[in-house]
Each structure stands twice: as structure tokens, then as C-alpha cells.
Amino acid sequence: MLSFIIRRLLLVIPMALLVVTLTWVLIRAAPGSFYSSEKKLPPAIEANIKKKYGLDKPWYQQYGLMMGNILRLDFGDSLKYQGQSVNEIIKRHFPYSATIGLLAYILALILGLTAGIVAALKQNSAFDYGSMALAMLGLSVPNFVLGPILVLVFSLWLFIFPPARWGGLMALVLPVITLSMIYAAYIARLTRAGMLEVMRSDYIRTARAKGLAEWKVLLKHALRGGIVPVVSFTGPALASLLAGTVVVEKVFAIPGLGNIFIQAVLNRDEPLILGIVAFLSILIMIFNLAVDISYGFLDPRIRYE
Amino acid sequence: MKSKKLPDLKITASDIFVKYSDGKRRRKLKVMAENVEIVKGTSLWKDAWKRLLKNKLAVFGLIVMVIMVIAVSIGPAIIRWTTGFTADYIPSDVGNGELVSSFPPSWEHPMGTDEAGRDLLARVLQGGRISLMVGVISTIVSLIVGVSYGAIAGYLGGKIDNLMMRIVDIIYAIPYILVVIVLLSVFGGPNTPGWIAWLSEKFGGAGNQGLNQIFLLFFALGLVSWLTMARVVRGQILSLKNQEFVMAARATGVSTFGIIFKHLVPNALGPVIVYATLTVPSVMLTEAFLSFLGIGVQAPYASWGSLAADGIKNIAVYPWQLIFPGVTMALTLFSLNFLGDGLRDALDPQTRKF
């Protein structure tokens, strides 16, 4: 178990380096650069700036410099936000994304698990059909449509929640709901399918046969096996939520990391793009590792190699 | 022949008749039974179709999609014929000193008008063409790439498989938005490949830069959404490749290419079709998202995503400008998702996965 974790953690480093390398190649493959979109600078000044960021060196030296930076977890300064390091920017904007992301995931878990379990237990009932149709609706309404409609109804017509910006618990409600819907829908479908499969298995029949109370069968035996698919969805979902869902940040004017990333991509702010990509890929891999470890606790049949 | 009651017999037409090489059918079997019921052989696809028709939600999805496709293909022409509005027609009185150009829904404009005074229904229908085309073309691209990649990895196995799947893992970790932007900027403008220019010329006239960009977007979206397809196909091929028919094909000297694409891929088609129907709504959502960010479909062209993005700006004053394109798109995705779900249940009745 320990050696499994250590091996996987060691694998994170080369994988992250590869992801960053490919991203770098992609940025370099596109014609133009950060400076081609800004207004034309006098050549002497442009040369000076390029020197400061090491952009005057041949490409292999630039690549080496970048790799060195990443191994030291220091991504240098942003091109767009003058004088601010990439690390500062990530540190400043990540908490916003993380807060709404985490809250949205908790809400999605509560809604999705409840709906999924009840739907599975009462298969083919009105509740089953109703909640699954609702889940499908959740998967089908784009969040840039849902968000503004919620704002329209709850802020502009009913004046219950503030329409946008950061500040106070009330301001969190609408973005968190908007963000969580699609995940709640997905979790509900996964839970229902997982529970249906587990409830038909032999060990549930055994548990019932030995006379366990029905709630014990459900909570202690069925749920553990039934939520395995939910857990494998959790890793990538949580990482993408924490990284900030661009649309929700844009609609509600929240200064999160997702928006910063899109802006960086559009501005071709190379150090910032690479820094955020590295940060996110490490985050995703660590979440995936945590998910793989938790399988063992949920399903005793799964062994680590 | 009324002596004894013969047992009921269920046989298929092919038990009685044999088709000879000259194309004529000749009787090969004489049947003696009271009630001969000739059962038609049901293929996997006919069976699946029957099951699909029993699923009410899937049928609902199918009907909505058929209506949507018809509306989008002939709708703009009908509106033009009856009212004279087109997707980019700006009534002249709007330009002449009228202060407001966004009109709420009325008999003249069932969905209202947009910021510039254009009929929103015409724009939603016109935009639907691009949105639905994104769904179809991008899915076909992702099918071609994903199926070939997954099938080759699965059949060759071993180190090559391992390497190919690790590459997929790594591409997964690269933000697709970056890939789309790079593809659009590398192949955009003067570098547009000839065949994309040809396609957009067939669709709407030569030398149209905006249309070239949209067709490029179709392919770029396809090229970022094949990863899961590759995994699905690889899994199927892994379980198929050790079966007897593959061994037989190899023994008779079929080439590796032939085995993969003539023997294995057709047998893995069920899950591929199911996954493809679910890819359509997901690429449509991605296109809408990119258009929302201003990277996707650009004015004067419109898609449901870009129309909704325009509507968000005026949500407080002209809510219909978001609601109509948004609801049309949601309804389409809803139907496609139900159809995909229904297809999965129909083709694979044993396992009801999520």
C-alpha cells in the first residue's frame, strides 16, 4: 500500500513535466506571440523586455529554463500582469475558485446521492422517473443559461440574492447552485446505476438472509459498493471544480482562477499558462491518486498492485 | 391428413427456402404441421430498434430531434417567404432614429428581436444549423480518430498499447481550450487547408473567411473529443480479439489492417454508436461554451451558444434574448441525451450503466 502510494507520487513528476512540455509546444506552435497582440513597442524596449524574460535565448535554452523553473515550483513573472509572479497570482485567485468549487461539490453530493439512492430503491416509481428526468435536465441546460436565469428570477425579480460579485454568504448561493447542478445530475445517475447493480449481487442477498435490518444492509453493505462509480467520478470532477469553472466565474463576476486562465490563454501569457497548467495537472493527479486509494476502503475486493 | 395433430413448429423462412447462386429460392424442407408460423429472424439491430420504440423518453427525444432538424433546414426559408425576415435582416425603421431595437415576442416576431432588431426566431433557426452541424461533423471526426486509435492500440496490445494509452492520459491533462485555440490560429486565415475551404464553399459561397473559421472549429472540436471514444473502443477490442473468428481470419491470411477494420471494428459498433450519440450533445455544449467565451462562432454568423452569450449581456432588460436560444438548445440536448440513453439500453439490455 505504502509503496503503491510512493510509486504513484513519483510518477506525478514526469507526468506533470510531460503535460507542461506539450503545453509549451502548443503555445509555441501557434503563430504570433504575446507581443504581437500588444501595441507595437519600440524595438529597443521590446528587446529589453524579452531579455528580462529570457525570450532572447535560443528555444532549447528557454525550454531548459522553463523546466528548471517548474522543478523549483517557481514559474517566474507574468507577462501581462507586470511585476507579479505567477505563484502570487495563483495564490490570490485560487481560494475563490476553491471555495465555490468545494461548496458546489458538497451540495452536488448531498442532492445527487439522496436522489440516486431513493431512485434505485424505488425503481420504476414516479420518484425514479421524476428525479432521473430532472437529472437529465441538469445535464442538458448549459450553465451559462442556468446562471443568468437564476439571477433574473432571484436577484432581479425577487431581490433575494445579490446578482454578482464576491462578498458574504448570500452572494455565494447562486453561483454554488449554478455550478453544482450538472454534477448533482451526474452523481444521481451514477449512484442509481451503481446501487441497482449492487442490490442484485450475492452479498446483499447473504446480508438479508442472515437477518440484518434493511437499513443496515443498505448503509453498511450496499452503499459502499454502490458509490464506487461516484468516487471515480469525484477525482476529475473535484479537480475541475476547484480549478474554477470559467462560465460561473464570468457570469457572477467572481475573480477565480478559471477566468485568469482563459485570459492568459487569450493573451498568450506563457508563464501564467504554464504555471496554471502545471498546478492543475498536479492537482488532478493527486485527486486521482486519492480516489484510487479510497477504492480499497470501499470495496475490499480491490487490491493494489 | 387429418389423423394426428402435429406439434406446433416455429421455423424461420431460411429453414424452408434456400437461395441458390442463380438467385432463385428453392424449397429445401417440407413442413408438416398444423400451425406453421414462419418467424422472421430478428437481427441485433431490429431487436434494438423494437426495444428503443418501447422507451417513451427515447421516442420523445427522437421526435424532437426530427422536428428540430426539419425546422432548422426549412424554417429560415419559410420565415423569409411569409414575413420577409432573414437571420441578418435589419428593418430599416430601426436604423432611422428608433431608440429601441429589441422588441419583445409578438405575432410578428414570435421570439422577439435581438439587439440590432433582427428577428430572433430566424436567427435561432439559422444558428441551429451551425449548432447541429457542430454536433454531427465534430462527432464524425472524433469517431474516425477515436475508433482507429483505440482499435489499433487494443489489437496490437503490449508495449504499443501501453504507450498509446499513456499518450491519451497525457492529452487528457492538457486543457482542450488551449488545443482549440492553437488549432484555430495555426490553421486559420491564410493557412486554411484547401479541403476546409472547399467544404465551406459548398456550404455557403467561396472565399468566406468567417465560414472557413466555423468549419475549422468543427474539426478542432472533433480533434479534442476523441479521447474517451478511443478508450471505449480499446476496451471492446481487448475483449474481442481473442475470439475464434479473429483467429480464423488470421489463419486465412487477412492482413492486420483488415482484421482491425473489417472484423473487429464492426463487432464493436454497438458501444461506439451509443457513445457517439452522447458525444453529439457534449460537443454542442463545448461549442456553445467556446462561443460564449468569444472563441467559437463569430458574428455575423450565429450558433445557439453565441446567441445565448449575446443574450446574457441584456438579461436584465430583454430576457427573451437569452431564454429562447437557451431553451431551444437545452431542449435539443435533453432529447439527444435521452436518445443516447435509450440507444444504450436498447443495444445493451443487460448492463444498465449510468
Side-chain angles (χ1 to χ4, degrees), chain A:
Chain A
M1 176 84 181
L2 194 66
S3 82
F4 168 79
I5 296 176
I6 291 173
R7 250 185 308 138
R8 285 285 301 268
L9 276 177
L10 284 179
L11 207 61
V12 167
I13 301 168
M15 289 283 273
L17 288 182
L18 256 174
V19 169
V20 172
T21 303
L22 279 176
T23 311
W24 185 79
V25 171
L26 274 177
I27 300 174
R28 289 296 166 101
S33 74
F34 174 71
Y35 296 102
S36 58
S37 60
E38 293 282 291
K39 70 173 182 251
K40 207 84 199 108
L41 291 169
I45 296 178
E46 192 175 325
N48 250 335
I49 294 178
K50 283 196 168 167
K51 196 169 179 187
K52 184 188 159 204
Y53 290 106
L55 292 173
D56 54 340
K57 296 190 176 69
W59 65 268
Y60 49 88
Q61 278 189 25
Q62 289 185 35
Y63 177 74
L65 261 167
M66 179 200 72
M67 280 293 146
N69 279 347
I70 283 165
L71 286 176
R72 281 184 281 113
L73 290 177
D74 168 22
F75 302 103
D77 286 357
S78 155
L79 299 180
K80 175 81 184 173
Y81 307 97
Q82 296 269 317
Q84 296 182 33
S85 78
V86 170
N87 287 4
E88 274 171 35
I89 295 175
I90 295 180
K91 215 183 276 169
R92 189 169 61 232
H93 293 280
F94 181 61
Y96 296 105
S97 305
T99 312
I100 48 168
L102 215 57
L103 287 175
Y105 200 69
I106 293 171
L107 180 66
L109 272 182
I110 296 172
L111 289 177
L113 283 178
T114 327
I117 293 171
V118 177
L121 292 183
K122 300 194 184 296
Q123 200 190 353
N124 298 329
S125 69
F127 182 88
D128 183 17
Y129 288 130
S131 60
M132 284 306 117
L134 215 62
M136 199 59 110
L137 201 62
L139 288 181
S140 308
V141 179
N143 48 9
F144 58 82
V145 174
L146 179 66
I149 289 181
L150 287 179
V151 169
L152 187 67
V153 175
F154 291 102
S155 332
L156 302 180
W157 290 349
L158 300 175
F159 299 107
I160 300 179
F161 302 112
R165 299 220 177 268
W166 192 259
L169 269 179
M170 291 301 264
L172 285 176
V173 175
L174 292 184
V176 166
I177 292 179
T178 310
L179 193 52
S180 70
M181 273 313 125
I182 190 163
Y183 294 93
Y186 222 90
I187 292 172
R189 284 158 63 80
L190 287 172
T191 313
R192 179 177 175 277
M195 289 295 282
L196 281 180
E197 211 165 301
V198 167
M199 292 304 278
R200 266 188 254 131
S201 61
D202 292 339
Y203 71 91
I204 294 297
R205 191 164 4 113
T206 312
R208 283 198 180 129
K210 71 181 183 186
L212 273 186
E214 188 63 24
W215 65 269
K216 258 190 181 165
V217 175
L218 267 182
L219 294 183
K220 284 188 85 173
H221 296 268
L223 193 57
R224 264 173 69 171
I227 62 169
V228 165
V230 178
V231 173
S232 30
F233 171 67
T234 298
L238 204 53
S240 76
L241 272 169
L242 295 190
T245 304
V246 184
V247 171
V248 172
E249 285 171 15
K250 231 179 149 78
V251 169
F252 292 97
I254 292 165
L257 200 58
N259 243 330
I260 296 289
F261 177 69
I262 298 294
Q263 283 311 314
V265 170
L266 294 178
N267 292 332
R268 317 212 34 192
D269 191 341
E270 198 179 300
L272 192 52
I273 300 175
L274 293 175
I276 296 177
V277 166
F279 177 71
L280 292 186
S281 58
I282 292 173
L283 208 63
I284 292 175
M285 286 179 222
I286 288 177
F287 275 122
N288 280 338
L289 175 61
V291 164
D292 285 351
I293 294 170
S294 70
Y295 283 145
F297 292 105
L298 287 168
D299 188 344
R301 286 170 301 189
I302 294 173
R303 294 263 175 277
Y304 302 108
E305 290 173 36

Side-chain angles (χ1 to χ4, degrees), chain B residues 13-335:
Chain B
S14 61
D15 290 331
I16 305 177
F17 298 104
V18 175
K19 205 169 188 181
Y20 281 76
S21 53
D22 58 2
K24 280 183 188 154
R25 294 172 108 206
R26 293 194 182 113
R27 182 178 282 259
K28 79 166 180 193
L29 183 73
K30 259 197 177 155
V31 186
M32 297 209 316
E34 296 249 299
N35 297 316
V36 176
E37 186 190 342
I38 295 184
V39 186
K40 268 195 178 167
T42 47
S43 68
L44 167 78
W45 302 106
K46 268 188 196 157
D47 220 28
W49 177 246
K50 257 192 212 158
R51 266 198 294 267
L52 187 72
L53 289 184
K54 274 189 201 145
N55 186 335
K56 283 185 196 118
L57 290 169
V59 173
F60 164 79
L62 192 63
I63 293 172
V64 173
M65 281 322 294
V66 169
I67 295 175
M68 198 64 86
V69 169
I70 294 173
V72 157
S73 7
I74 60 170
I78 292 180
I79 292 176
R80 189 174 182 175
W81 182 59
T82 49
T83 60
F85 299 134
T86 61
D88 36 21
Y89 170 74
I90 301 176
S92 54
D93 51 330
V94 167
N96 299 338
E98 281 262 2
L99 289 178
V100 181
S101 48
S102 299
F103 294 105
S106 62
W107 281 114
E108 199 185 1
H109 302 285
M111 287 188 178
T113 65
D114 77 348
E115 248 183 322
R118 292 172 287 206
D119 182 49
L120 200 55
L121 178 63
R123 279 182 80 68
V124 166
L125 290 176
Q126 191 79 37
R129 288 187 180 179
I130 287 178
S131 283
L132 290 180
M133 263 172 39
V134 165
V136 174
I137 297 184
S138 305
T139 303
I140 291 174
V141 173
S142 87
L143 261 177
I144 294 171
V145 180
V147 169
S148 328
Y149 195 95
I152 291 170
Y155 183 70
L156 296 181
K159 277 192 180 134
I160 299 174
D161 176 35
N162 209 346
L163 179 72
M164 285 175 84
M165 290 334 273
R166 291 297 81 70
I167 291 174
V168 167
D169 285 348
I170 291 165
I171 302 177
Y172 251 119
I174 297 176
Y176 69 87
I177 188 162
L178 197 68
V179 182
V180 170
I181 290 176
V182 170
L183 284 174
L184 288 181
S185 58
V186 169
F187 294 109
N191 302 326
T192 309
W195 51 277
I196 284 187
W198 180 83
L199 270 179
S200 72
E201 191 185 318
K202 288 285 161 219
F203 184 71
N208 194 330
Q209 199 52 53
L211 215 53
N212 281 353
Q213 191 75 2
I214 290 173
F215 272 84
L216 201 55
L217 182 72
F218 295 167
F219 286 92
L221 280 173
L223 288 180
V224 294
S225 45
W226 57 273
L227 297 168
T228 315
M229 182 69 83
R231 284 191 174 167
V232 170
V233 173
R234 173 181 169 270
Q236 284 294 310
I237 301 292
L238 280 183
S239 66
L240 283 173
K241 72 172 182 185
N242 291 324
Q243 290 189 10
E244 283 87 354
F245 70 90
V246 179
M247 223 185 290
R250 215 177 300 159
T252 51
V254 181
S255 68
T256 308
F257 181 88
I259 291 179
I260 293 178
F261 289 98
K262 284 195 183 140
H263 294 265
L264 285 172
V265 169
N267 277 295
L269 223 52
V272 169
I273 289 177
V274 167
Y275 191 71
T277 19
L278 296 173
T279 306
V280 174
S282 100
V283 285
M284 284 173 66
L285 213 52
T286 311
E287 180 275 328
F289 169 67
L290 289 175
S291 297
F292 171 77
L293 294 178
I295 305 164
V297 174
Q298 317 262 338
Y301 292 96
S303 71
W304 288 334
S306 72
L307 287 172
D310 290 341
I312 290 170
K313 283 181 287 188
N314 303 327
I315 175 91
V317 210
Y318 314 125
W320 61 87
Q321 289 179 0
L322 166 69
I323 289 173
F324 284 114
V327 167
T328 315
M329 181 174 185
L331 180 68
T332 309
L333 295 177
F334 193 61
S335 315

